[in-house]
Amino acid sequence: MTNSANAPVRHATMRERNLAVVLEHVARHQPVTRARLAELTGFTKTTVSNLVSLLEGAGLVRDGAPVREGERGRPGVGVSVHGDGAAGLGLEVNVDYLAACVLDLAKQVRYRHVVSSDNRGREPGAVLAALSALAGEAVAAAAGQGLTVAGAAVALPGLLDRENGVVRHAPNLGWTDVPVTGAPGLAAALPAEYDNEANLAALGELWFGGGARFGDFVHVSGEIGIGAGIVVDGRVFRGAHGFAGELGHLVADPSGPACSCGGRGCLEQIAGQEAMLRAAGLPVTRPAAGPEGSVGRLVERLSAGDAAALDAVARAGRALGGALASAVNLIDPDTIVLGGVFSPLAAWIRPPLEGVLAEGPGSLRRGVPPVEVSGLAEGAAVLGAAGLVVERVIADPALLL
């Protein structure tokens, strides 16, 4: 027996789901006619027209040029995602910089800003306040382009308890059990969610980089620390507690230097950004003009054939290859993707990495996964964060109705 008191709730839920289905197909097939949307969704043409009208009213889709679908018949009006309506804000906290990115619903970058900042040992409240100020600037810049920011996602390094909004341990920042939800000025302005920067970098690669052609992949984010985002069946694998992917804290040399995590000889002490700079004889300044500036000096030395720089990066490549050989045996990915600072260093770090990798899991799985280079480099995490908001809107457009 149907409970009439629940009928409006069920009706509203059904409409919300139908809106999401239509918007998803528009985003995937745009420009697409209403007739084609009816075929793709299985809805009647009248239902599709009504749903498109609702999405138009919310500024999520708009009509464009005529589209001819098939050999016969008159062209129909093409429906596309409205790039000048809703937008997602991505934010990132890293050891030596803060970043912001605004992505419109058509997944075009409309604003991007990186601020060099030495956040190591800085009071978390001060860092989050600076991030909120950066978010305010981004929202204002978006508004100046006629965009409405629908929400924000924040990329953070270290072990993040997403359920409770707490950074449990970010050794390179010196943060332990730091609450991040309700950051001053941020939560009050717009809804925000938080995630590990390596996971968001992997999503950035999935949505805006190599994407589906990489299959199941491990995206290695090289910064001062080293993280890995693991994508399986198009989704990030997080582990039982959300802490999967801490590649930088695998032990590469048991007798190596002490690590900020409390261990010794961790991978990031050999292959991390500052570790390579020190081994190359380059100064490590804080902030080092952001990741691009510091690694740019290393690239200059490598291009000039500097022996110390070449040795430092080769050693880092071999250590990274050893860690990834274990990861390949454990996870069996289709592809390994080098991101972050490893992207500009790929010409020098990939050969020794691949050499070690070939000696590891190749005999077990009859070949090793190819090692690809991300075209997104250091911008992957903040782009993935903004993309996460856009994906949320497409999956639930009723939030903006």
Side-chain angles (χ1 to χ4, degrees), residues 375-390:
L376 304 179
E378 295 91 349
V382 72
L383 187 60
L388 189 64
V389 179
V390 170

Side-chain angles (χ1 to χ4, degrees), residues 43-62:
F43 302 154
T44 66
K45 293 181 180 180
T46 299
T47 297
V48 166
S49 294
N50 291 337
L51 292 170
V52 168
S53 294
L54 288 171
L55 293 171
E56 282 181 318
L60 297 175
V61 302
R62 61 182 171 187

